[in-house]
């Protein structure tokens, strides 16, 4: 039986700096608009009888506070346009209308009438601008999102995240690409301030899409796309369109791009809760209406609001695995906007699909699972230690599929797919290990935050790769996008590249270049351990040091430092067995050098997998475990074989002390020292 711990999260509150006024320009505009609507509704209160005979109706917002009488002109990009008896047009997001009004919009004959694009009203937040792209109805067939739809989550299977599921995970059938991708030229920057978005690579249709947006020093934000045929090595360039959106996924038809908003509420353009589908018509883009898949599912700043769409992975046909930033995970059919299954995860989660899109590696706070995507069956789960702090979680498959890499806070760990057991680990003492991105380009190497290559068995930082706009790795092949004033490029590569592998091999034959190496001298400090346990801990660490090929010398500046804290009462629960209270001790082991922390590990006395003796209850087993710390963790510790000296002055945001650096250029990699 596997243990899980339930933790409470504090809700954040919005604060103002001393002397700052709490209302900004956008807030004032919203306040004036609300006051105007209230006045308007009061003036129209006597029009009810007329409205019933002219086809008008009374519209109410979700709170019931505001009402307006008029007829529906159209619904566009999730916004309803209502015309009153005086011919004035008012707009309101469909998601902010009452349930009755939303039901009215879903049923009956279509209220939409095709009009000339020049006559269409402009909307802020989720608009398809007619001067920048063709009509929102031009994306035909599968993605006609012009009508409002309330997703029926109750009709779908609900998936429950579970720890302690017996590990029976199969290896992915295929992780390697079944084609040879070619490099493709990309257009140069449209302006100096244009930025590149994360890549969307689809191995099933053998294409990729690169997105760009410029929103600074321009009168209105402009976005463009490059659709790349990876087999032919060619890109179809689009003209810029007026929008602030980025690619979320390239769908399996190879030409439809699922886009997500990149603006904030005050920007007046598409926000991160809105989706559109863009498609090329020749070299022009046509766009669907906007759709908000996760309305009112997140609480922020003390109020309910729409959840943002965090990720999307095409699975088959128009089925897409999609997740919100609030942890709502679903396999959903985009054509029907109908969920197949869904789950509510914690606030700390990460997902990664196998190359063949059949298996999902899922991290839900302290639980790591492998899930069959088609039917949401968990085929294995494993848990982190109860005292683990999880932040910035990331997860990735290795090129062989035999390993799953997870990162959180300042730690990397490798899970063996065949056994469900943890093997290699790496701890960064310089801060978060991979807060922005994580790649697994080789079964023995991790690429952190788009630039730092770490050799997992030795913990060596091998190479600092620089000047790549974006890197996306699938099945051991890395796609590297670059953007410059002179031109752009989508290239492919394999990490480590030959020069980095050669540097690693050379360094391992010359241990003197490392602070930690085989036969290094270390001291042992157990002053942080309660007196009754100090002798046992000292003996355990001496054996661990010898097993790690360290030499114990009391005068060494490198110190193994041990500590034990506790006991403290901790609430724990086991699957199908209820909750219990146990005395918890935490054991910590650190490698220190001249007062600086190099490396850390530890453990707890609370068992993750609880085994009871014959006739023993769970309470009795936990009471026995809570009598003293877990002293076996000290002898079982294995210390790093190699470790570099910490950098004194690392560049901001680049906590790197790599053996070498290599720069991406349009001509290829240029290696440095």
């Amino acid at each position: 039986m596997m243990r899980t711990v339930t933790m409470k999260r504090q809700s954040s509150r919005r604060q103002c700096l001393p002397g700052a006024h709490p209302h900004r320009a956008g807030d004032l505009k919203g306040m004036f608009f609300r006051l105007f609507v209230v006045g308007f509704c009061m003036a129209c209160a006597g029009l009810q009888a007329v409205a019933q005979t002219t086809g008008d109706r009374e519209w109410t917002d979700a709170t019931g506070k505001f009402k307006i009488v008029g007829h529906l002109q159209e619904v566009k990009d999730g916004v309803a346009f209502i015309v009153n008896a005086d011919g004035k047009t008012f707009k309101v997001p469909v998601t902010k209308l009452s349930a009755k009004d939303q039901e009215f919009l879903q049923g009956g004959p279509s209220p939409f009438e095709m009009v000339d694009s020049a006559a269409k009203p402009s909307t802020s937040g989720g608009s398809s601008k007619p001067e920048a792209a063709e009509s929102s109805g031009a994306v035909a067939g599968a993605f006609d999102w012009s009508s409002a739809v309330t997703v029926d989550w109750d009709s779908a299977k609900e998936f429950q995240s579970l720890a302690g599921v017996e590990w029976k995970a199969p290896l992915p059938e295929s992780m390697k690409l079944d084609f040879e991708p070619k490099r493709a030229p990309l257009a140069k920057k449209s302006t100096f301030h244009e930025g590149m978005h994360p890549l969307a690579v689809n191995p099933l249709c053998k294409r990729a899409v690169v997105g760009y947006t410029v929103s600074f020093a321009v009168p209105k934000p402009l976005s463009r796309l490059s659709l790349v045929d990876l087999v032919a090595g060619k890109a179809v360039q689009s003209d810029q369109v007026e929008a602030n959106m980025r690619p979320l996924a390239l769908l399996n038809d190879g030409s439809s791009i699922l886009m997500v908003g990149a603006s904030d509420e005050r920007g007046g353009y598409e926000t991160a809760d809105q989706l559109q589908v863009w498609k090329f018509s020749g070299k022009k883009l046509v766009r669907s209406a906007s759709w908000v898949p996760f309305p009112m599912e997140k609480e922020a700043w003390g109020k309910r609001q729409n959840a943002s769409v965090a990720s999307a992975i095409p699975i088959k046909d128009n089925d897409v695995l999609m997740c919100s930033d609030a942890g709502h995970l679903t396999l959903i059919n985009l054509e029907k906007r109908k969920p197949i299954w869904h789950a509510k995860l914690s606030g700390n989660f990460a997902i990664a699909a196998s190359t063949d899109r059949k298996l999902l590696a899922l991290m839900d706070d302290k639980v790591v699972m492998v899930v069959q995507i088609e039917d949401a069956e968990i085929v294995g789960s494993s848990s982190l230690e109860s005292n683990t702090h999880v932040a910035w979680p990331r997860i990735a498959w290795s090129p062989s599929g035999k390993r799953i890499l997870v990162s959180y806070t300042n730690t990397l760990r490798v899970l063996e797919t065949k056994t469900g057991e943890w093997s290699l680990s790496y701890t960064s003492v310089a801060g978060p290990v991979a807060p922005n991105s994580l790649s697994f380009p080789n079964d023995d190497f991790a690429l952190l935050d788009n630039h730092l290559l770490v050799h997992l068995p030795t913990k060596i930082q091998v190479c600092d790769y620089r000047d790549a706009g974006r890197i996306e790795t699938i099945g051991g092949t890395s796609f590297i996008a670059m953007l410059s004033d002179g031109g752009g490029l989508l290239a492919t590569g394999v990490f480590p590249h030959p020069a980095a592998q050669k540097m690693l091999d050379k360094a391992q034959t010359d241990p003197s270049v490392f602070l930690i190496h085989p036969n290094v001298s270390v001291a042992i400090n157990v002053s942080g351990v309660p007196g009754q346990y100090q002798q046992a801990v000292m003996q355990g660490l001496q054996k661990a040091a010898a097993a790690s090929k360290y030499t114990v010398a009391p005068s060494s500046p490198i110190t193994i430092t041990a500590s034990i804290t506790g006991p403290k009462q901790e609430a724990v629960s086991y699957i199908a067995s209820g909750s219990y209270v146990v005395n918890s001790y935490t054991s910590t082991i650190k490698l220190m050098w001249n007062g600086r922390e190099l490396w850390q590990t530890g453990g707890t006395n609370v068992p993750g997998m609880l085994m009871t003796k014959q006739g023993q209850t769970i309470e009795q087993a936990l009471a026995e475990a809570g009598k003293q710390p877990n002293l076996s963790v000290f002898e079982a510790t294995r210390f790093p074989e190699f470790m570099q000296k910490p950098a004194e002055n690392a560049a901001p945001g680049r906590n790197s002390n790599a053996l070498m650096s290599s720069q991406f250029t349009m001509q290829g990699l240029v290696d440095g020292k």
Side-chain angles (χ1 to χ4, degrees):
M1 294 177 288
M2 185 63 68
R3 179 175 78 83
T4 59
V5 180
T6 302
M7 302 179 66
K8 293 182 178 180
R9 291 195 300 271
Q10 294 181 341
S11 61
S12 58
R13 294 179 179 270
R14 188 172 184 177
Q15 297 179 341
C16 294
L17 295 174
H21 198 283
H23 297 294
R24 297 183 181 180
D27 298 317
L28 291 173
K29 290 180 180 178
M31 180 179 69
F32 291 145
F33 175 77
R34 289 191 294 272
L35 291 172
F36 180 80
V37 171
V38 170
F40 171 78
C41 293
M42 293 175 65
C44 292
L47 297 180
Q48 185 70 27
V50 177
Q52 292 175 353
T53 60
T54 60
D56 289 359
R57 67 190 306 275
E58 183 179 75
W59 302 81
T60 308
D61 79 323
T63 68
K65 295 181 180 179
F66 307 112
K67 298 181 180 181
I68 192 171
V69 175
H71 68 270
L72 179 69
Q73 182 186 61
E74 69 168 348
V75 176
K76 180 182 172 191
D77 303 337
V79 177
F81 290 84
I82 300 167
V83 181
N84 72 352
D86 296 331
K88 295 181 179 179
T89 302
F90 295 84
K91 63 181 181 180
V92 58
V94 172
T95 55
K96 293 187 177 181
L97 286 171
S98 66
K100 181 179 179 181
D101 289 334
Q102 292 191 41
E103 291 174 2
F104 171 80
L105 292 176
Q106 293 176 36
S110 172
F112 305 106
E113 180 182 356
M114 185 63 70
V115 296
D116 182 70
S117 61
K120 288 192 173 185
S122 174
T123 66
S124 61
S127 63
S128 296
K129 306 292 183 179
E131 68 273 24
E134 294 184 25
S135 162
S136 63
V139 180
F143 308 107
D144 179 11
W145 289 349
S146 57
S147 60
V149 168
T150 300
V151 177
D152 183 9
W153 298 111
D154 292 336
S155 67
K157 172 183 177 181
E158 187 167 1
F159 159 78
Q160 295 290 338
S161 175
L162 291 175
V165 177
E166 182 183 358
W167 195 272
K168 298 185 295 183
L171 295 180
E173 294 180 6
S174 174
M175 287 298 296
K176 296 286 187 180
L177 298 178
D178 61 358
F179 63 97
E180 188 69 32
K182 296 180 181 178
R183 56 189 282 155
L186 301 173
K188 64 181 182 180
K189 284 186 174 183
S190 64
T191 72
F192 175 80
H193 298 287
E194 185 178 56
M196 179 183 290
H197 294 297
L199 299 174
V201 181
N202 188 323
L204 303 182
C205 67
K206 304 176 184 179
R207 288 188 168 191
V209 65
V210 187
Y212 318 81
T213 294
V214 56
S215 58
F216 182 75
V218 290
K220 52 191 177 184
L222 300 171
S223 297
R224 64 185 177 97
L225 297 177
S226 292
L227 182 64
V228 181
D229 185 326
L230 297 173
V231 176
K234 295 181 179 180
V236 177
Q237 306 294 341
S238 77
D239 292 332
Q240 288 180 322
V241 298
E242 183 184 342
N244 194 347
M245 304 196 80
R246 64 177 179 85
L248 193 63
L250 174 61
L251 302 184
N252 290 336
D253 63 6
S255 59
S256 300
I257 302 102
L258 187 63
M259 304 290 292
V260 64
S263 179
D264 58 24
E265 291 183 357
R266 293 183 176 86
Y269 280 80
E270 302 85 0
T271 50
D273 59 337
Q274 299 178 42
L275 297 179
Q276 291 181 10
V277 175
W278 293 13
K279 194 165 186 174
F280 283 95
S281 175
K283 289 190 176 183
K284 298 289 184 181
L285 282 168
V286 293
R287 301 161 60 184
S288 75
S290 289
W291 172 46
V292 177
F294 304 109
M296 298 297 139
E297 289 195 6
K298 183 173 70 173
E299 185 168 345
W301 311 112
K303 65 177 183 179
R304 300 295 296 177
Q305 63 183 40
N306 300 337
S308 300
V309 185
S311 60
I313 304 171
I315 303 303
K316 66 175 184 178
D317 302 326
N318 285 326
D319 293 347
V320 172
L321 193 67
M322 193 159 60
C323 198
S324 77
D325 64 344
H328 196 167
L329 175 68
T330 180
L331 179 64
I332 191 166
N333 182 279
L334 287 184
E335 179 180 4
K336 300 176 182 178
R337 289 180 279 182
K338 180 178 178 61
I340 300 165
W341 58 261
H342 74 117
K344 295 293 183 69
L345 308 178
S346 69
N348 290 312
F349 64 90
I351 62 173
S354 58
T355 305
D356 59 12
R357 300 301 194 248
K358 294 183 178 180
L359 294 176
L360 178 70
L362 168 63
M363 184 175 187
D364 185 12
D365 196 45
K366 298 178 181 64
V367 181
V368 178
M369 294 163 278
V370 174
V371 180
Q372 292 181 162
I373 294 177
E374 186 173 359
D375 57 6
E377 179 185 354
I378 302 175
V379 290
S381 67
S382 184
S383 294
L384 304 175
E385 293 77 9
S386 64
N387 62 341
T388 303
H389 173 62
V390 176
W392 304 288
R394 307 285 173 193
I395 195 166
W397 290 92
S398 74
S400 68
K402 295 179 180 179
R403 288 178 164 177
I404 298 170
L405 180 67
V406 300
S407 69
Y408 53 90
T409 320
N410 64 339
T411 302
L412 281 175
R413 294 184 71 173
V414 173
L415 188 68
E416 301 295 334
T417 310
K418 187 175 182 179
T419 63
E421 296 178 354
W422 297 103
S423 54
L424 304 173
S425 65
Y426 167 86
T427 302
S428 168
V429 297
V433 66
N436 300 306
S437 66
L438 176 71
S439 293
F440 207 173
N442 181 294
D443 277 37
D444 287 331
F445 290 85
L447 185 66
L448 312 180
D449 262 8
N450 226 34
H451 72 94
L452 182 60
L453 189 71
V454 174
H455 184 232
L456 294 169
T458 63
K459 322 299 191 291
I460 295 173
Q461 297 180 13
V462 180
C463 187
D464 188 3
Y465 292 99
R466 300 178 177 177
D467 294 343
R470 299 289 178 178
I471 299 177
E472 178 73 21
T473 301
I474 298 178
T477 299
S478 293
F479 297 86
I480 304 107
M482 289 167 277
L483 181 64
S484 70
D485 296 335
L489 180 68
L490 181 61
T492 59
V494 175
F495 297 113
H497 72 293
Q501 183 65 58
K502 184 177 179 180
M503 177 65 75
L504 174 62
D505 295 341
K506 180 180 178 181
Q508 289 180 279
T509 60
D510 183 10
S512 64
V513 302
F514 298 101
L515 181 63
I516 300 294
H517 54 80
N519 298 317
V520 66
S521 296
V522 296
I524 298 177
N525 180 357
V526 295
S527 62
V529 176
Q532 68 268 36
Y533 306 121
Q534 285 188 358
Q535 184 177 355
V537 171
M538 174 64 77
Q539 292 174 350
L541 289 177
Q542 288 172 340
K543 293 179 181 179
S548 302
K549 300 180 181 179
Y550 289 8
T551 301
V552 177
S555 60
S556 175
I558 302 170
T559 305
I560 298 173
T561 302
S563 64
I564 295 177
T565 59
K568 67 175 182 179
Q569 289 193 330
E570 180 181 350
V572 299
S573 62
Y574 292 86
I575 295 175
S577 299
S579 298
Y580 306 89
V581 175
V582 62
N583 286 329
S584 171
Y585 292 87
T586 298
S587 302
T588 304
I589 305 106
K590 296 180 181 180
L591 273 178
M592 306 291 294
W593 173 66
N594 291 336
R596 299 181 64 180
E597 182 181 320
L598 301 173
W599 179 86
Q600 176 179 319
T601 189
T604 178
N605 65 316
V606 182
M609 185 77 71
L610 184 64
M611 304 295 293
T612 58
K613 301 174 184 177
Q614 185 174 2
Q616 187 182 43
T617 65
I618 293 178
E619 291 91 341
Q620 291 170 337
L622 289 175
E624 183 177 336
K627 289 180 179 179
Q628 68 173 28
N630 178 8
L631 300 179
S632 65
V633 68
F634 297 98
E635 183 176 343
T637 297
R638 291 299 175 264
F639 297 100
E641 183 179 7
F642 294 95
M643 185 167 288
Q644 294 134 293
K645 184 183 295 185
E648 294 290 340
N649 296 301
R654 303 183 77 89
N655 297 313
S656 168
N657 192 33
L659 298 175
M660 63 175 293
S661 64
S662 191
Q663 183 180 13
F664 287 104
T665 71
M666 299 294 290
Q667 291 73 40
L669 279 171
V670 177
D671 296 324
K673 294 183 179 181

